[in-house]
Amino acid sequence: MVRPERQAAFPRTLSSDIFDSVAKHILSRHARDPSDLCGPDLRGATVLLPNYHVAQPLARALSAAANLPALLLPRMVTLDDWAQSVPLAAPAATDSQRGTLLYQHLRRQQWFENADLWSMTQELLALFDELTLALETLPRDAEAFAAAVQQVYRARQNAALQLEARLVFELWHAMQAGAELDAARAYQQRLAKLAAQASQPLFVLRASGWDALEQRFLDEYAKRAAVEMFDLREMAPQWSGLLHDHVPFRAQNIPALGDRLRFFAATSLEQEARAAAMQVRRWLSEGKRDIAIVAQDRVAARRVRALLERAQVLVADETGWTFDTLSVSTVLERWLTALQSDFYHHDLLDLLKSPFIFADMTAADRKAAVYQLEQLLRKQGVVAGLEKFVALAESETVLHQPLARLRQAAMLLEQNKKTTLAEWLAALRASLRMLGIDTGLQQDEAGAQLLRALETWQQELQADAGRYRFAEWRRWLAQQLGTQTYRDSGIDSPVRFTHLAATRWRSFDAVLLLGCDADHLPGAADGGRWFNDAVRSALDLATRGTRAARQSDDLLALLALNDCVLVTWQKDRNGEKGLLSPYLEMLRDLHTLAHGDDLGERELHAFLAVEEAHHVALPQAAQPAPKVTAQAVPASVSISACNSLVACPYQFYARHILRLNELDEVQEGIEKRDYGERVHQILQRFHECFPQVSGHPVEELEAALRRISEEVFADLLQQDFAARAWLARWIVALPAYLEWQAENESQGWRYAEAESAFDWQLEGVRLRGRIDRLDVREEEKRVLDYKTQSEQMLRNKLREPGEDVQLACYAYAHEAADAAFVSIENGKVKLVEPKHDVPLLAQLNAERLVQAMDSIRGGAGLPANGIDAVCVYCEMRGLCRKGEWVSV
């Protein structure tokens, strides 16, 4: 063990001193011939590295220590890679193969009927690997294993614990019985062979504890060849024990750290991310070219990346992201979701808006097809069903090819069958080719890796004969995507994301420890469903304590080797007080006691304030009153456009001049509007059969009206069970309607026509629309408009003359002397007539429309002056920005 002398203070270049010490010690073990200009031959030695980033500084230190023009370096390798170089006679089973075998076993036994067996499989396999690597102390049979578990739990007669222990042991034993090795056993055997072949010196760089198997390997290797350990915990003794309560450490022994370590306590996630991004930019401006962001909080890391990229700073990522968090996997999820939901319209539109689908089409053609389909679906109101969409698009040639490809791809993935995982994967890949998704994925580095992963899994599982339902396969695929990691190797940047374990023996120009609150450091490792820490410790398995100790050692090593570190954390999280990591809290408190300095960062707040002050301040909105050219004024207007113009000129401008109407939503349930439209259809058909009800028995009329009602509601009843409630609501009103119609006829009025369209040319504008019903009495005409609203609500509409233009427009178009609403609501039918002279209202309304359109053509403004009752339901409110206006 190499142990340099203890020092009273932290050296400013501890990293270089440590590497120099290691290099000199290695060279001292290899005497050289003075006549040999190449120096000592170190090729016979092996140096175990914690990661390959350490190789370069160690090589430089060896060359500098040798002080020679050339030097034959030792083999420098990580233990995993060294073990992989050892060949084995038997092949090793992949994780995907082991997972399917265990899943099928659990499914056959039916022990966990309501459990997610795929996640349980993944958890059990991880536990089995731990048990395998602990074989030196693990009981050799189920009884001994169960006894060991019960002893720790102090529950010798607990049948549930005994069952748990036996189940885990026997499943593990069954997985060990196969002819093929698993990854853990293969690693075990490779290390055993390396130890048995030991003949050359081994130098080991470490910063924290080893796993039990790796420690046994070193012990076995040392029996045959020299093993020398370079342990950072011993080589930097001034740091040793700082974060461990069991090591006595007095505050006065803490040297001043203010010039190398600082803490930033943020009040929110956004402030933490902004501070982190600001500090990285400051370091870059100072000329630092090797900056590590050690991300404990991945949510904060995402935000920091976004802020840095906004500032044109790319970030390399050593940690990577699992595929289930990437957009390339999202298109797979959208495709399978759309398929499983029978192409529910939201799922289908989400899929078609992915940049990866139909990538073999031009971007313009793809966008045109998606736009056309969305317009069609919203207009027709079809909720789901690919065949329905195909039928709707019969006249839309731009949609024929995309929908045909969707249909063919759907046929490749038959959901009602059970087949192997390999066949499901083959069908998935074929469907991706049919949809052009594979072309899109191949053009993306992450997408290409995803396709290779799908191909690899398919090849690995060719021999698996288990058969799975579509839903089972989807859960398996989702889990696989959550276990595979993508790392973007195409970014070369001085700024990199990494994780704490990857910083062992590394030094940087600057280090940002991001998200170091108590929830993320030490990380909250999930203990899973099997065994508590006491049992795991008795079985020589890793516990939360051992993981936390390793994180503590890695943190100490990082702080020891780096002279510029900023720690960020959130002291307020969603309105609750947040705590700093206990490791760093202890260090900060000791430093405060010794030097009166809590190491708080004091400059970043000022920089953030300056940055905030430089944000562009958008001018506050004023009440809009846009003007339009004469050519932009519509030549014809509908009744609803007239109502918009009267209610709010700006609403008319946005809806009918700019044509910014919101897209209609595809209705998934029956709405009041649907109910009203069906009532109109029923009454039109009824009066075509019975222009007059007088002279017909009430029973015959009511039966006919009921039969017509059921026919008109038939399609809605198939679509939505709630339509029965709307039909029942209408049926209640049938007697009242027939009574009202009889009374209407007794006054001399006769039904004349319904749903009559009109298109009147006024001076400078045409007025178009359609009335519900026209009645006549000798030479008199009366227009009626059916409303499924209460009598009082309709009277409120007519309270102010000219506010509602509907009846006035109808009366003008048909030169009618009378106009009225027919209120059909709550089993009552009432006639609601304007209190004012209808012909006069009609004439004044027409003149107002002509004058208004003429004024607009002449350049008059269209102000947003709607009253609150109009604005509350107006979809253009966000455009006019009412509520943010300032007085001018």
Side-chain angles (χ1 to χ4, degrees), residues 333-635:
E333 176 65 20
R334 287 178 178 175
W335 163 230
L336 297 177
T337 298
L339 187 65
Q340 199 166 12
S341 68
D342 190 24
F343 294 92
Y344 173 62
H345 67 282
H346 280 309
D347 296 336
L348 177 59
L349 291 175
D350 282 346
L351 170 66
L352 295 180
K353 290 175 182 179
S354 167
F356 296 107
I357 193 170
F358 299 138
D360 49 359
M361 297 171 59
T362 65
D365 288 344
R366 185 171 67 247
K367 290 178 181 179
V370 174
Y371 174 79
Q372 192 70 30
L373 180 61
E374 183 169 14
Q375 294 288 330
L376 188 63
L377 295 184
R378 294 181 185 276
K379 181 179 179 180
Q380 299 296 330
V382 179
V383 177
L386 184 58
E387 294 305 321
K388 295 179 182 178
F389 301 152
V390 172
L392 281 178
E394 186 176 357
S395 61
E396 305 290 343
T397 55
V398 71
L399 296 176
H400 289 176
Q401 185 186 22
L403 290 177
R405 293 174 70 174
L406 281 168
R407 177 194 276 166
Q408 293 171 3
M411 293 172 62
L412 294 169
L413 284 164
E414 300 177 40
Q415 297 181 61
N416 296 326
K417 67 179 182 180
K418 290 180 69 174
T419 188
T420 65
L421 293 179
E423 290 173 344
W424 277 123
L425 287 168
L428 173 64
R429 295 178 63 202
S431 72
L432 296 182
R433 288 191 292 270
M434 177 60 65
L435 296 173
I437 293 176
D438 64 336
T439 301
L441 293 178
Q442 289 288 2
Q443 297 168 2
D444 183 276
E445 183 180 352
Q449 286 192 27
L450 175 59
L451 291 175
R452 288 196 293 271
L454 294 175
E455 182 179 4
T456 299
W457 295 331
Q458 182 183 346
Q459 293 172 352
E460 291 175 350
L461 297 171
Q462 284 294 342
D464 177 52
R467 305 182 75 79
Y468 305 84
R469 296 186 301 274
F470 180 84
E472 286 181 294
W473 167 67
R474 274 202 70 186
R475 287 195 295 272
W476 172 85
L477 180 61
Q479 181 167 286
Q480 289 294 106
L481 294 175
T483 60
Q484 298 293 310
T485 301
Y486 165 71
R487 295 178 179 85
D488 188 354
S489 58
I491 297 179
D492 183 16
S493 172
V495 184
R496 71 186 76 192
F497 279 122
T498 189
H499 57 281
L500 194 55
T503 64
R504 293 168 185 164
W505 281 78
R506 295 172 68 182
S507 59
F508 305 89
D509 291 348
V511 175
L512 176 67
L513 278 165
L514 181 69
C516 293
D517 53 69
D519 291 337
H520 293 95
L521 184 66
D526 182 10
R529 292 172 248 244
W530 312 96
F531 307 146
N532 62 20
D533 272 358
V535 177
R536 295 179 65 86
S537 178
L539 297 175
D540 285 340
L541 305 180
T543 64
R544 289 182 177 87
T546 56
R547 296 188 187 98
R550 192 166 298 174
Q551 284 185 296
S552 170
D553 291 336
D554 289 340
L555 178 61
L556 281 174
L558 177 67
L559 295 176
L561 295 181
N562 290 276
D563 296 332
C564 182
V565 179
L566 175 68
V567 175
T568 69
W569 61 290
Q570 294 176 51
K571 66 178 181 180
D572 295 307
R573 297 176 65 89
N574 301 320
E576 296 183 1
K577 183 176 177 60
L579 300 176
L580 180 62
S581 164
Y583 298 155
L584 296 167
E585 181 83 26
M586 187 184 305
L587 178 60
R588 188 181 64 174
D589 289 348
L590 287 171
H591 194 273
T592 303
L593 288 174
H595 302 284
D597 180 6
D598 65 358
L599 300 175
E601 166 58 49
R602 296 175 178 83
E603 295 182 351
L604 268 179
H605 285 288
F607 280 100
L608 292 176
V610 171
E611 182 182 57
E612 184 69 26
H614 280 86
H615 282 175
V616 177
L618 296 175
Q620 287 188 282
Q623 182 182 22
K627 300 177 181 180
V628 298
T629 63
Q631 294 77 14
V633 179

Side-chain angles (χ1 to χ4, degrees), residues 171-239:
L171 284 174
W172 168 78
H173 191 271
M175 295 296 292
Q176 297 287 313
E180 291 185 328
L181 296 173
D182 56 46
R185 281 196 291 167
Y187 185 54
Q188 202 175 45
Q189 291 188 17
R190 287 187 170 108
L191 290 185
K193 285 190 174 184
L194 281 177
Q197 298 168 1
S199 61
Q200 297 175 329
L202 177 63
F203 301 96
V204 183
L205 307 187
R206 65 185 295 186
S208 55
W210 290 98
D211 291 333
L213 173 63
E214 294 165 346
Q215 187 59 57
R216 289 199 301 273
F217 159 73
L218 293 176
D219 294 340
E220 289 297 319
Y221 195 103
K223 294 177 181 178
R224 297 171 178 82
V227 176
E228 296 195 63
M229 201 80 64
F230 299 92
D231 193 332
L232 272 179
R233 293 171 296 183
E234 299 293 337
M235 300 181 72
Q238 60 272 40
W239 289 93

Side-chain angles (χ1 to χ4, degrees), residues 671-732:
E671 298 179 356
K672 184 71 175 290
R673 181 178 61 182
D674 302 302
Y675 171 63
E677 290 175 353
R678 298 307 164 110
V679 169
H680 284 57
Q681 295 176 32
I682 292 167
L683 294 177
Q684 180 185 10
R685 287 181 55 179
F686 174 74
H687 285 296
E688 287 174 354
C689 298
F690 297 94
Q692 286 186 248
V693 299
S694 303
H696 295 277
V698 174
E699 295 78 8
E700 177 189 357
L701 295 171
E702 188 169 339
L705 194 50
R706 182 184 294 271
R707 174 181 53 79
I708 294 171
S709 301
E710 291 174 349
E711 291 174 358
V712 170
F713 270 86
D715 61 329
L716 291 181
L717 293 174
Q718 293 180 355
Q719 174 184 331
D720 189 351
F721 184 80
R724 295 186 180 277
W726 290 105
L727 176 58
R729 180 175 181 174
W730 162 242
I731 293 296
V732 170

Side-chain angles (χ1 to χ4, degrees), residues 19-20 23-25 27 59-68 71:
F19 277 107
D20 289 344
K24 290 175 182 177
H25 188 84
L27 289 170
R60 285 199 301 263
L62 285 168
S63 298
N67 195 24
L68 291 170
L71 182 66

